């Protein structure tokens, strides 16, 4: 159905936007590198594809005058989601252009800010592109060539947004949200359980975090220990049979 | 600043399990600023605090206190994305997403000011709420993909950014957003022919203007300040106390329109110039009292009527001009004002097609008359001298902290403007009634003019 397709595509766009923001935050810091620039480029391209697909689908759905009132309300809600995602994307793209220009890669001494982040952003980009491992195959002057493309893409996105607003008459403030306050807590309860050790941020909050981390740790070690014992027992039984038989 | 040899020495932050590099201590930063910029320690301290307050460096322990403490407190550099920039103001949508993420991380236990903002956003940005929740969960999941130390740093960074941009109570942040303007002040202005032409015209006109010599204007300015500095609440603290600071409105009560006995300061101010006397409502009332004693109230009445016509509604102008003509300007009018023939002729001719400013010439003449003659007689009169003797000199307040808190709690809203307006209307009606020409026959009827 049109609605479900739209929803999945919007979820994908949302995911890519979040990951793109994550990558842009890393620009200019010590976790910046050639790879990061390439990841940014790939994520951006994916985001654009998704955006165009979403846009065509949603404009088609919204232009259809024969939809029922509930359907129309739902499409308007999806439209608001889409435009908000695009706004975030546009701002992030503009910022990445500026930051990319301020922190070039090809100079003899790189002046990256020592922010304390040393890891790589491969996993985030992999999540954005929905692949297992990222492949890096760009050439060495990606930062300069990419920036020119980025400028063109930013103008493209700007034009797309303007077109969208002209074509589709949706009043964003009339949309009612489905989630109530605190909805994000319910959706991430399952995630909390699977985290291995919640980290302690700064000296102020070590006690809370460590207790929860300890609980999680304890539970998982219990489960692991149990599994281990079960496997050992089975191995022992089988071995006994092999030896006995 | 980050050079391994000549920069600030970096160290490692050791948390319970993880080690995060790139920590700098306050005293190292201070020492580096002193040597690099060749300034004194106090200046370096101020500069360092500005760096922290703007958000280029953030403290790790006391994260709400945005100052540079010159000891072993730890700081870290902020990532360029979170540097303050006029081009990229911190949007409410982003703040809402951040609060939602924090909600997830803290499992619903936000700080009170954060909770307030959160509820506010849920109310006012409800149409975007789905998006905010989705984005927050996605960003949370994305951040989980990174290694532990990086996650810690990311959280610290974002939290520091939002403390700078949306400071909680009693945090001093240097952020100062101006108005939301439609034109971008940072955008380059394209020099077209029209822009240059208009700039040229403006500059030639400015050159043609006759300018007052600065020696003259500055002397006038100095004179104004020396005479008026006692009356300015910024330069001398008002007695009894500044209501904006101590929350006690005695000052306003003592200087209100219909107070019985004015303060000495006001009374002195009336003597400075006729304009000051007229502008103060209490002073104007006193002057009118003096004029009543002298039976020359028609000048002031005309002045007030002319002011009313000038500032009043356009629809009332014909009616008011008729009334003024009948009362003040007609030969044989009950309250005839004594202006010279030329002005009278001009005014009467102008009243044929009355507009807002027909009475300007007459009003100026009357004003100068009052200023040059009546005003000086007023200052020498027993009315004024009596007022000077009776005027109050209120004692300055000396509130303790407890009393200040009590004052703040017991602030009263003051007199309602509706009631004030009603009082003014009744006063005006009474004055109009008193000013009506005395009907001799009515007075005889009530036996007031009894000669016997």
């Amino acid at each position: 159905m049109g609605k479900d397709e739209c929803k999945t595509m919007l979820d994908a766009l949302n995911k890519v936007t979040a990951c793109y923001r994550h990558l842009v935050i890393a620009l200019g810091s010590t976790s910046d590198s050639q790879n990061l620039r390439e990841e940014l480029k790939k994520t951006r391209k994916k985001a654009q594809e998704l955006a165009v697909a979403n846009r065509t689908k949603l404009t088609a759905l919204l232009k259809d005058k024969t939809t029922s009132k509930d359907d129309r309300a739902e499409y308007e809600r999806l439209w608001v989601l889409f435009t908000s995602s695009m706004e975030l994307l546009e701002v992030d793209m503009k910022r990445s252009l500026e930051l990319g220009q301020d922190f070039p890669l090809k100079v003899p001494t790189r002046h990256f800010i020592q922010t304390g982040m040393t890891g790589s952003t491969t996993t985030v980009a992999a999540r954005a592109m929905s692949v297992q491992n990222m492949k890096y195959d760009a050439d060495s002057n990606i930062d300069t060539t990419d920036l020119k493309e980025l400028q063109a893409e930013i103008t493209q996105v700007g034009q797309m947004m303007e077109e969208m607003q002209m074509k589709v008459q949706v009043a964003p403030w009339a949309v009612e949200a489905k989630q109530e306050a605190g909805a994000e807590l319910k959706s991430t309860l399952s995630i909390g359980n699977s985290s291995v050790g919640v980290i302690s941020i700064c000296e102020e909050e070590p006690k809370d975090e460590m207790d929860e981390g300890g609980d999680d740790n304890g539970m998982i070690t219990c489960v692991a220990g149990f599994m281990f014992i079960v496997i050992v027992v089975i191995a022992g039984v089988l071995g006994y049979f092999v030896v006995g038989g | 600043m980050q050079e391994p040899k000549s920069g600030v020495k970096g160290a490692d932050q050791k948390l319970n399990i993880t080690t995060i590099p790139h920590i700098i201590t306050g005293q190292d930063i201070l020492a580096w600023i002193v040597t690099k910029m060749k300034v004194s320690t106090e200046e370096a301290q101020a500069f360092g605090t500005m760096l922290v307050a703007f958000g280029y460096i953030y403290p790790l322990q006391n994260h709400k206190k945005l100052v540079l403490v010159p000891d072993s407190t730890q700081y870290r550099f902020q990532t360029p994305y979170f540097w303050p920039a006029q081009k990229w103001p911190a949007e409410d949508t982003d703040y809402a997403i951040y609060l939602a993420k924090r909600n997830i991380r803290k499992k619903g236990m936000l700080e009170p000011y954060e909770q307030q903002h959160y509820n506010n956003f849920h109310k006012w940005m409800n149409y975007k709420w789905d998006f905010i929740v989705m984005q927050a969960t996605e960003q949370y999941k994305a951040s989980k993909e990174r290694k532990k130390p990086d996650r810690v740093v990311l959280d610290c960074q974002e939290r520091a950014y939002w403390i700078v941009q949306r400071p909680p109570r009693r945090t001093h942040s240097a952020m100062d957003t101006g108005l939301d303007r439609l034109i971008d002040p940072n955008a380059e202005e394209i020099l077209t022919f029209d822009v240059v032409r208009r700039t040229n015209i403006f500059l030639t006109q400015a050159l043609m203007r006759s300018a007052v010599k600065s020696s003259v204007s500055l002397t006038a300015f100095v004179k104004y300040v020396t005479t008026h500095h006692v009356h300015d609440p910024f330069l001398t603290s008002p007695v009894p106390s500044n209501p904006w600071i101590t929350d006690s409105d005695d000052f306003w009560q003592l200087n209100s329109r219909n107070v019985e006995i004015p303060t000495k300061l006001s009374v002195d101010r009336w003597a400075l110039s006729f304009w000051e006397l007229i502008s103060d409502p209490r002073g104007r009332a006193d002057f009118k009292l003096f004029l009543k004693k002298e039976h020359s109230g028609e000048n002031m009445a005309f002045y007030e009527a002319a002011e009313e016509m000038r500032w009043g509604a356009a629809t009332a102008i014909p009616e008011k001009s008729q009334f003024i003509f009948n009362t003040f300007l007609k030969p044989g009018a009950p309250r005839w004002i004594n202006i010279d023939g030329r002005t009278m002729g001009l005014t009467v001719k102008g009243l044929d097609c009355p507009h807002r400013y027909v009475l300007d010439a007459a009003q100026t003449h009357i004003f100068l008359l009052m200023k040059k003659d009546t005003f000086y007689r007023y200052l020498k009169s027993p009315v004024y001298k009596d007022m000077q003797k009776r005027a109050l000199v209120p004692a300055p307040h000396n509130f303790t902290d407890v009393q200040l808190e009590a004052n703040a709690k017991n602030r009263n809203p003051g007199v309602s403007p509706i009631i004030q307006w009603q009082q003014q209307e009744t006063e005006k009606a009474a004055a109009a009634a008193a000013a009506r020409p005395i009907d001799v026959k009515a007075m005889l009827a009530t036996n007031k003019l009894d000669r016997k």
Side-chain angles (χ1 to χ4, degrees):
Chain A
M1 240 205 18
K3 242 193 267 181
D4 293 332
E5 267 181 54
C6 267
K7 276 207 191 130
T8 38
M9 286 210 289
L10 268 174
D11 281 338
L13 179 64
N14 208 17
K15 188 164 73 164
V16 173
T17 315
C19 295
Y20 190 68
R21 170 159 278 207
H22 203 92
L23 294 171
V24 178
I25 291 178
L27 257 180
S29 66
T30 36
S31 62
D32 196 358
S33 67
Q34 174 94 342
N35 290 343
L36 179 66
R37 303 292 164 108
E38 205 186 323
E39 286 160 14
L40 275 171
K41 179 173 167 181
K42 291 202 170 138
T43 321
R44 202 175 68 228
K45 294 259 189 293
K46 177 115 194 238
Q48 288 226 240
E49 289 166 28
L50 279 171
V52 171
N54 263 313
R55 180 193 64 151
T56 38
K57 192 95 186 122
L58 271 174
T59 37
L61 282 171
L62 279 168
K63 281 209 160 159
D64 190 9
K65 306 268 186 203
T66 60
T67 47
S68 67
K69 224 171 138 206
D70 293 331
D71 276 348
R72 177 120 191 135
E74 180 62 23
Y75 293 145
E76 287 191 358
R77 192 182 77 93
L78 294 175
W79 181 256
V80 167
L81 284 174
F82 176 56
T83 40
S84 323
S85 278
M86 287 312 293
E87 278 167 13
L88 267 194
L89 249 180
E90 200 183 346
V91 168
D92 276 340
M93 272 164 53
K94 285 186 185 158
R95 287 189 90 156
S96 73
L97 176 68
E98 210 184 303
L99 289 174
Q101 282 168 341
D102 287 334
F103 293 96
L105 288 175
K106 287 273 96 194
V107 285
T109 45
R110 288 188 192 175
H111 296 291
F112 287 151
I113 309 291
Q114 288 173 349
T115 53
M117 300 224 279
T118 43
S120 75
T121 44
T122 335
T123 40
V124 177
R127 187 191 166 81
M129 309 292 296
S130 319
V131 292
Q132 283 296 102
N133 292 311
M134 287 286 294
K135 279 178 248 152
Y136 295 104
D137 50 3
D139 40 322
S140 54
N141 55 347
I142 183 171
D143 43 345
T144 37
T145 47
D146 190 32
L147 288 175
K148 293 197 194 91
E149 281 181 29
L150 181 49
Q151 266 173 333
E153 280 180 27
I154 288 173
T155 40
Q156 223 179 35
V157 168
Q159 279 169 355
M160 191 167 91
M161 302 264 301
E162 275 187 43
E163 263 183 58
M164 275 163 26
Q165 281 173 351
M166 291 293 142
K167 277 195 196 158
V168 177
Q169 309 290 336
V170 172
W173 50 88
V175 169
E176 277 186 35
K178 280 205 180 150
Q179 320 262 19
E180 70 273 11
E184 62 270 10
L185 291 170
K186 296 178 192 117
S187 61
T188 53
L189 270 177
S190 52
I191 298 175
N193 283 335
S194 63
S195 69
V196 183
V198 183
I199 21 162
S200 57
I201 290 294
C202 290
E203 268 65 74
E204 288 198 34
E205 314 158 349
K207 289 195 193 119
D208 304 316
E209 310 286 340
M210 274 316 284
D211 283 347
E212 283 157 356
D215 278 340
D216 275 351
N217 256 328
M219 195 176 81
I220 284 172
T221 43
C222 279
V223 166
F226 179 67
M227 294 297 293
F228 176 67
I229 291 168
V230 163
I231 290 170
V232 164
V233 163
I234 292 176
V237 165
L238 282 173
Y240 177 69
F241 276 131
V242 163
V243 168
Chain B
M1 208 161 165
Q2 298 171 146
E3 289 291 315
K5 291 179 210 124
S6 61
V8 184
K9 212 169 40 175
D12 288 342
Q13 178 192 24
K14 289 194 173 35
L15 291 180
N16 300 293
I17 320 164
T18 52
T19 311
I20 308 175
H22 306 144
I23 299 285
I24 36 183
T25 54
Q27 58 203 20
D28 285 338
I29 302 175
L30 197 64
W32 184 85
I33 297 174
V34 169
T35 42
K36 174 83 176 176
M37 304 181 72
K38 299 189 181 57
V39 289
S40 65
T41 326
E42 288 93 15
E43 256 190 77
Q45 168 79 31
F47 184 71
T49 308
M50 265 179 19
L51 280 178
V52 179
F54 275 118
Y56 289 102
I57 302 176
Y58 60 95
L60 291 176
Q61 275 112 8
N62 226 342
H63 56 268
K64 281 195 196 160
K65 207 155 189 286
L66 299 172
V67 279
L68 185 78
V69 188
D71 56 11
S72 60
T73 38
Q74 298 170 330
Y75 295 87
R76 201 184 276 139
F77 289 110
Q78 180 69 283
T79 185
Y81 186 82
F82 287 140
W83 282 353
Q86 212 175 8
K87 258 202 212 175
W88 314 112
E91 300 276 344
D92 278 337
T93 323
D94 295 330
Y95 190 43
I97 296 176
Y98 164 69
L99 285 178
K101 272 200 288 189
R102 199 158 163 77
N103 212 7
I104 301 174
R105 211 180 71 73
K106 292 273 210 172
K107 300 191 175 28
M109 302 294 301
L110 289 173
E111 302 213 13
Y113 77 96
E114 285 175 342
Q115 189 68 46
Q116 251 185 342
H117 277 134
Y118 186 82
N119 296 338
N120 221 10
F121 285 142
H122 180 71
K123 187 171 163 202
W124 292 110
M125 294 201 339
N126 196 286
Y127 64 99
K128 274 197 178 173
W129 197 251
D130 286 346
F131 169 69
I132 289 168
V133 166
M134 273 171 67
Q135 223 0 261
T137 41
E138 282 300 327
Q139 286 188 8
Y140 188 71
K141 288 182 200 169
S143 73
K144 281 218 169 285
E145 297 282 340
R146 303 199 65 174
K147 300 202 191 62
K148 249 187 283 178
D150 287 348
R151 256 186 291 168
V152 173
V153 172
L154 275 170
D155 266 323
C156 277
Q157 273 175 1
E158 216 179 345
R159 181 178 64 175
Y161 176 67
W162 285 113
I163 285 181
V164 169
Q165 300 285 348
R166 299 274 189 269
R169 277 260 188 96
R170 279 174 268 136
T171 306
H172 98 274
S173 134
M175 286 295 121
D176 197 356
T177 46
L179 311 162
D180 278 329
R181 298 175 65 173
L182 290 170
I183 44 168
D184 178 17
N186 291 321
E188 299 284 329
E189 192 181 353
I190 316 160
L191 268 186
T192 60
F193 172 74
D194 190 54
V195 169
V196 175
R197 183 184 64 91
R198 284 189 288 133
T199 324
N200 257 333
I201 295 173
F202 176 76
L203 290 171
T204 37
Q205 284 178 340
L207 278 176
M208 289 194 302
R209 279 192 271 264
S210 60
V212 180
K213 278 212 287 203
S214 61
S215 56
V216 174
S217 65
L218 287 174
T219 341
F221 193 61
V222 167
K223 187 171 160 205
Y224 181 83
V225 172
T226 37
T227 44
H228 282 93
H229 83 276
V230 208
H231 305 292
D232 189 315
F234 279 116
L235 298 175
T236 8
S237 42
V239 278
S241 60
N242 193 335
W244 294 110
I245 296 175
T246 57
D247 289 318
S248 93
D249 57 356
D250 286 342
F251 180 71
W252 290 329
Q253 303 282 10
L254 288 170
N255 287 311
S256 67
R257 289 175 61 91
N258 31 19
V259 72
E260 281 277 335
I261 305 175
T263 52
K264 185 132 200 337
L265 212 60
S266 316
V267 177
D268 287 339
R269 195 170 184 175
W270 302 341
L272 286 178
S273 94
F274 185 56
W275 175 250
E276 298 278 355
L277 178 65
I278 295 292
S279 329
D280 189 12
R282 184 72 184 78
R284 199 187 267 213
D286 218 42
F287 187 63
K288 280 201 262 199
L289 196 70
F290 166 72
L291 288 176
K292 196 159 152 199
K293 290 220 169 113
E294 296 233 324
H295 300 293
S296 56
E298 68 269 5
N299 284 343
M300 198 63 214
F302 175 72
Y303 182 80
E304 286 199 330
E307 280 287 289
E308 232 178 87
M309 192 162 121
R310 244 186 136 178
W311 295 104
T315 45
I317 287 177
E319 165 201 329
K320 276 189 195 152
S321 62
Q322 267 302 336
F323 171 74
I324 288 172
F325 179 72
N326 289 333
T327 327
F328 296 105
L329 298 171
K330 193 169 66 173
R335 305 188 84 187
W336 186 77
I337 53 169
N338 196 355
I339 48 180
D340 64 305
R342 190 167 151 270
T343 325
M344 179 68 92
L346 279 169
T347 315
V348 171
K349 217 163 66 159
L351 278 174
D352 283 335
C353 318
H355 57 93
R356 210 171 274 280
Y357 305 110
V358 280
L359 300 170
D360 250 17
Q363 196 184 2
T364 324
H365 186 104
I366 291 287
F367 183 83
L368 287 173
L369 205 70
M370 288 199 284
K371 176 176 153 171
K372 289 184 181 163
D373 174 44
T374 334
F375 179 55
Y376 291 109
R377 275 190 289 133
Y378 167 73
L379 287 182
K380 293 186 197 124
S381 73
V383 176
Y384 183 66
K385 296 223 184 309
D386 186 45
M387 190 55 75
Q388 271 183 317
K389 274 188 226 132
R390 285 196 306 165
L392 300 170
V393 182
H397 282 153
N398 209 351
F399 291 122
T400 60
D401 280 338
V402 180
Q403 282 171 319
L404 285 175
E405 295 249 357
N407 281 347
K409 277 200 207 120
N410 303 336
R411 276 192 289 224
N412 61 335
V415 186
S416 154
I418 300 174
I419 296 180
Q420 278 183 335
W421 184 81
Q422 279 171 351
Q423 283 175 343
Q424 283 178 26
E425 290 292 301
T426 45
E427 276 174 20
K428 257 197 269 186
R436 249 183 304 202
I438 305 166
D439 194 356
V440 183
K441 291 212 177 94
M443 298 261 348
L444 269 177
T446 57
N447 280 328
K448 286 238 172 92
L449 281 182
D450 201 352
R451 295 283 178 106
K452 293 180 197 149

